[in-house]
Amino acid sequence: MKSVLFVCLGNICRSPMAQTVFEKIIEEKGMVDKFEVDSAGLHGWHEGDKADPRMKKHAEARGYDITHRSRPIRKEDFDKFDYIVGMDEQNIKGLYQLAKIEEHKAKILRMADFLQKISADFVPDPYYGGAEGFEYVIDLLEDACEGFYQEIKSNNI
Ligand code: 4NP
């Protein structure tokens, strides 16, 4: 069993989308019972909320149903999860600040490091932008989640 926690700032756009894309991948590969997947935000502003309606709408157009409700990251997550995947440098910085020991820091990964087709350094925050930003987030996450899955399966991480 491998456990994965996707993390962004508010946990209403990027990380619940990443969770949903990754869940679809493991479902298609028949690997659902081999993984635990969740997402969280560095901030609790939207705790209990469903994903942003714009993110949900763009996700639905590609066949994804985001059901996750926002929650802030907790200290215990660093013990519980094998991989903690941040979306941008601000997320990564925040995660390193929360990770108190080396063992926890070693779990922190960058989503964009798993991109296979698209070249980008981070998954940008779509919250204050337009529709194309949400589409780009899904493009990035579909590419990176597949790459991330392959790296886990190949025991490279
Ligand atoms: P996310 O996007 O980190 O991808 O969920 C954001 C959601 C909410 C806010 C910022 C980013 N906010 O400022 O409330």
Side-chain angles (χ1 to χ4, degrees):
M1 173 74 88
K2 296 278 188 189
S3 54
V4 182
L5 182 70
F6 295 102
V7 177
C8 62
L9 192 58
N11 192 218
I12 54 167
C13 296
R14 292 166 292 174
S15 61
M17 187 73 240
Q19 176 185 355
T20 306
V21 170
F22 194 79
E23 284 171 344
K24 192 171 185 193
I25 289 171
I26 58 174
E27 197 182 317
E28 284 169 359
K29 317 244 188 223
M31 299 293 281
V32 169
D33 54 347
K34 300 275 191 290
F35 284 90
E36 175 166 356
V37 189
D38 197 2
S39 65
L42 283 154
H43 285 276
W45 304 309
H46 299 279
E47 187 163 6
D49 292 352
K50 287 186 183 169
D52 185 295
R54 298 165 296 170
M55 190 77 257
K56 270 183 89 67
K57 187 185 92 184
H58 287 275
E60 268 162 28
R62 293 204 206 182
Y64 298 104
D65 180 22
I66 310 178
T67 56
H68 179 79
R69 284 186 182 263
S70 177
R71 71 157 178 99
I73 190 164
R74 300 183 276 263
K75 265 197 219 131
E76 316 83 88
D77 290 326
F78 285 92
D79 288 315
K80 181 175 173 189
F81 290 92
D82 298 315
Y83 307 108
I84 298 177
V85 188
M87 300 294 140
D88 62 21
E89 282 313 305
Q90 186 190 7
N91 304 159
I92 298 294
K93 237 185 183 174
L95 287 169
Y96 274 113
Q97 278 167 4
L98 293 172
K100 297 291 178 230
I101 57 172
E102 278 313 310
E103 190 192 336
H104 291 169
K105 290 186 205 291
K107 297 180 176 189
I108 300 170
L109 301 168
R110 287 169 176 74
M111 189 87 263
D113 284 349
F114 301 103
L115 287 166
Q116 306 174 102
K117 299 176 192 151
I118 305 172
S119 174
D121 294 327
F122 60 95
V123 182
D125 185 348
Y127 193 70
Y128 295 104
E132 67 291 343
F134 287 90
E135 287 296 316
Y136 182 54
V137 163
I138 307 177
D139 290 341
L140 290 171
L141 292 176
E142 286 184 330
D143 186 3
C145 282
E146 180 65 32
F148 179 46
Y149 175 80
Q150 295 302 338
E151 287 292 285
I152 295 172
K153 286 311 294 168
S154 312
N155 286 317
N156 290 336
I157 50 172

